[in-house]
Amino acid sequence: ARRHRRTLLDLLDDQARRHGLHTTTQLSIRTDNPTQITTTMTRLRTTPPATLAGHTIETLDDLAHPTGGLPPTNALRFHLTGGARVIIRPSGTEPKLKCYLELVQPVTGDIPAARARATAELDTLRQALSTALS
């Protein structure tokens, strides 16, 4: 890359054009009532939302009963349309739910525009998840 005057960021942009721009964020929902965490996890397991921020939830993996040889853990993994993914688990040290959000934004046009779209979509998804967990 150096002899072609390309930087590591140029190579990362090439990968984003090929595979989409992968963006992530976190959300923590704190509570004063630790039993609320158990109640929320149970509710999500028994009656998960059908959509989040316009994304249909395609599959739900209950990682308390994982496949593929993974050890069990108290977490849920939602796969949404468009390649978005949400993982929710209780914190091991504090009375809060930890949420990890990821989406893949196709790059059509320039990278800064794709980044702006990804940030906006991720913010919308984060707000929808916050509302769904309240």
Side-chain angles (χ1 to χ4, degrees), residues 38 47 63 70 79 86 89 103 109:
T38 303
T47 55
L63 300 178
L70 293 173
H79 296 273
V86 174
R89 69 170 181 83
L103 66 83

Side-chain angles (χ1 to χ4, degrees), residues 27-31 36 39-40 43-44 52 88 97 99 126-134:
L27 171 67
S28 293
I29 308 288
R30 185 174 293 279
T31 180
Q36 184 63 38
T39 302
T40 300
R43 177 175 50 87
L44 289 171
L52 280 173
I88 302 171
L97 283 175
C99 309
R126 189 173 189 266
Q127 182 60 45
L129 183 60
S130 178
T131 301
L133 295 177
S134 297

Side-chain angles (χ1 to χ4, degrees), residues 47-70:
T47 55
T51 62
L52 280 173
H55 293 273
T56 300
I57 295 176
E58 295 180 325
T59 60
L60 166 61
D61 301 325
D62 186 345
L63 300 178
H65 310 285
T67 60
L70 293 173

Side-chain angles (χ1 to χ4, degrees), residues 5-6 8 31 36 38 47 49 51 83-85 91 93 96 99 102 109 111-112 117 127 134:
R5 300 201 185 277
R6 301 203 58 213
L8 180 57
T31 180
Q36 184 63 38
T38 303
T47 55
T51 62
R85 184 172 70 163
S91 170
T93 58
K96 64 183 176 180
C99 309
E102 175 187 35
I111 297 290
R117 286 190 308 274
Q127 182 60 45
S134 297

